[in-house]
Amino acid sequence: QVHVVESGGGLVQPGGSLRLSCAASGSIFSISAMGWYRQGPGQQRELVAAITSGGSTNYADSVKGRFTISRDNAKNTVYLQMNSLKPEETAVYYCKVEGRGGFLLHDFASWGQGTQVTVSS
């Protein structure tokens, strides 16, 4: 079983910054990709940014140039530095971890419970 825990959310003023963290633990053999998604009120969950084990990154067009995703492979941790935040980016931010683990080395995709980010003055 793989556990995913996010942290770092909170209330920030428009134009401000936040840094989210996500740590994966449990029966993990390898992690292929880690990513951040968000779901605003009444909206579908959408990809914000993702990073592979090799360091390749993918960003939503709306966050390019403002958000930076990074990871510490040794700690099974991924970070999301968010700058110049906008009120419309108020959402629950979720971390998704994909990889291989368990006794039979099966593929997994695990989600965290989410962390609330509120951008408001």
Side-chain angles (χ1 to χ4, degrees):
Q1 189 173 4
V2 177
H3 300 279
V4 179
V5 179
E6 304 100 334
S7 61
L11 174 64
V12 63
Q13 291 187 342
S17 299
L18 277 177
R19 188 187 192 219
L20 305 182
S21 299
C22 166
S25 62
S27 183
I28 299 172
F29 175 75
S30 62
I31 293 177
S32 56
M34 304 179 83
W36 289 97
Y37 295 71
R38 64 189 178 192
Q39 187 168 16
Q43 298 180 351
Q44 290 187 330
R45 192 173 297 188
E46 62 175 359
L47 173 69
V48 177
I51 186 168
T52 68
S53 58
S56 297
T57 58
N58 182 36
Y59 293 93
D61 287 342
S62 61
V63 306
K64 287 180 180 177
R66 299 185 297 118
F67 290 14
T68 303
I69 190 170
S70 60
R71 63 186 283 178
D72 185 332
N73 290 335
K75 296 181 179 179
N76 289 340
T77 299
V78 64
Y79 307 96
L80 184 67
Q81 177 67 43
M82 305 185 293
N83 299 326
S84 302
L85 281 160
K86 305 173 182 180
E88 56 265 36
E89 294 179 310
T90 294
V92 179
Y93 284 68
Y94 297 91
C95 178
K96 180 182 180 182
V97 179
E98 299 174 86
R100 182 163 292 183
F103 179 71
L104 297 178
L105 295 183
H106 60 276
D107 293 335
F108 69 84
S110 296
W111 292 87
Q113 293 297 308
T115 184
Q116 176 71 45
V117 172
T118 301
V119 185
S120 175
S121 55

